[in-house]
Amino acid sequence: MKQMSESLKTGTLLAVVGGYLDAYTYTIRGCVFANAQTGNIAFFGMNIANGNFKAALPYLIPVFSFVIGILTAEKIRRSYSGMFHWRQMVIVLEMITLAVAGFIPCGAIDNVVNCMISFVCAVQVQSFKRINGNAVSTTVCTGNLRSGTEYLHKFFRSRDRENLKIALIYIYMILLFTAGAVIGTVITSKLGVRAVWLCSAPLAAVCIMLSVKEIEQEDTEIE
């Protein structure tokens, strides 16, 4: 039986949150994309190459935060045995972290907020990995773009409509991420640091959907 955590409805809400958070950190938290760590690792390497060791170290902080997020999600998945589904606990953790971030003013400690959001994105991407059985990311687009293009190529070669259906899922997720970035940019420019609180609405909706349809199902994932 398909789990609600892998449904298109859940992916829709989480992808919008992913785009929103990227726009939030870039717009008001120092022009940083906190979701993915490729840029931070690249900047770290570039500074090392130029001998700027002191300047290189700050780029490792969000990377470690991301790693901690992955480990936290795995710890919750393997250890949690309460009355709610473990993914609901992940969503609650996201909401709490973002709520705290909204109280931190812009300025000298923007890096702290960016690390918090890196943590949030890590627990999300580790906990929600698939849609309809296909590996999908709700916090970055590179993998989705690659997979979507691959399945489009398969469709053009085979005319198998199943390949087209999968390709459209990836394209849909990219469009949702883009929509989240648009919404995040507009709202952040108006509300400032507190704009991050609006992510609570779609996250709460995901939490409710999981409680209705997934808590009664045994999680048989082997990851």
Side-chain angles (χ1 to χ4, degrees):
M1 185 179 296
K2 184 174 68 175
Q3 299 182 58
M4 177 56 72
S5 61
E6 295 188 16
S7 72
L8 196 59
K9 292 179 181 179
T10 299
T12 295
L13 295 171
L14 294 178
V16 171
V17 170
Y20 188 105
L21 291 176
D22 243 1
Y24 173 80
T25 57
Y26 189 87
T27 300
I28 204 169
R29 296 295 187 178
C31 297
V32 171
F33 293 120
N35 287 15
Q37 301 307 312
T38 304
N40 289 323
I41 294 171
F43 281 124
F44 174 77
M46 291 163 62
N47 278 285
I48 291 294
N50 291 322
N52 300 324
F53 301 107
K54 186 176 180 180
L57 290 177
Y59 290 106
L60 286 182
I61 298 174
V63 174
F64 286 134
S65 180
F66 192 90
V67 170
I68 292 171
I70 297 294
L71 295 175
T72 300
E74 280 299 290
K75 179 66 174 178
I76 294 173
R77 183 176 76 87
R78 294 181 182 277
S79 303
Y80 180 75
S81 58
M83 63 179 294
F84 300 105
H85 194 278
W86 70 269
R87 287 191 177 90
Q88 290 177 288
M89 298 300 98
V90 168
I91 294 295
V92 170
L93 179 59
E94 287 189 53
M95 294 172 66
I96 292 172
T97 304
L98 295 177
V100 173
F103 285 105
I104 300 175
C106 291
I109 57 175
D110 281 341
N111 284 337
V112 173
V113 175
N114 291 331
C115 287
M116 294 169 68
I117 292 179
S118 292
F119 173 85
V120 164
C121 292
V123 296
Q124 179 171 306
V125 76
Q126 184 67 12
S127 303
F128 299 89
K129 299 179 180 179
R130 302 180 183 88
I131 292 179
N132 296 341
N134 301 293
V136 174
S137 175
T138 59
T139 61
V140 292
C141 290
T142 304
N144 294 339
L145 182 60
R146 185 204 64 79
S147 298
T149 304
E150 177 185 350
Y151 277 98
L152 275 178
H153 179 261
K154 289 180 179 179
F155 168 71
F156 290 135
R157 285 178 59 88
S158 66
R159 298 299 173 181
D160 185 343
R161 294 185 65 85
E162 184 63 26
N163 288 328
L164 177 60
K165 181 179 178 181
I166 296 173
L168 291 176
I169 289 175
Y170 286 111
I171 294 171
Y172 176 66
M173 296 301 291
I174 293 170
L175 292 175
L176 286 169
F177 188 94
T178 304
V182 172
I183 296 169
T185 301
V186 172
I187 293 180
T188 300
S189 65
K190 296 181 181 299
L191 298 184
V193 296
R194 292 173 178 78
V196 74
W197 291 342
L198 270 68
C199 291
S200 295
L203 290 175
V206 170
C207 196
I208 292 171
M209 289 192 297
L210 292 176
S211 69
V212 170
K213 295 198 175 181
E214 186 166 326
I215 194 170
E216 298 177 356
Q217 301 175 13
E218 181 181 359
D219 189 351
T220 59
E221 283 186 317
I222 301 177
E223 298 174 352

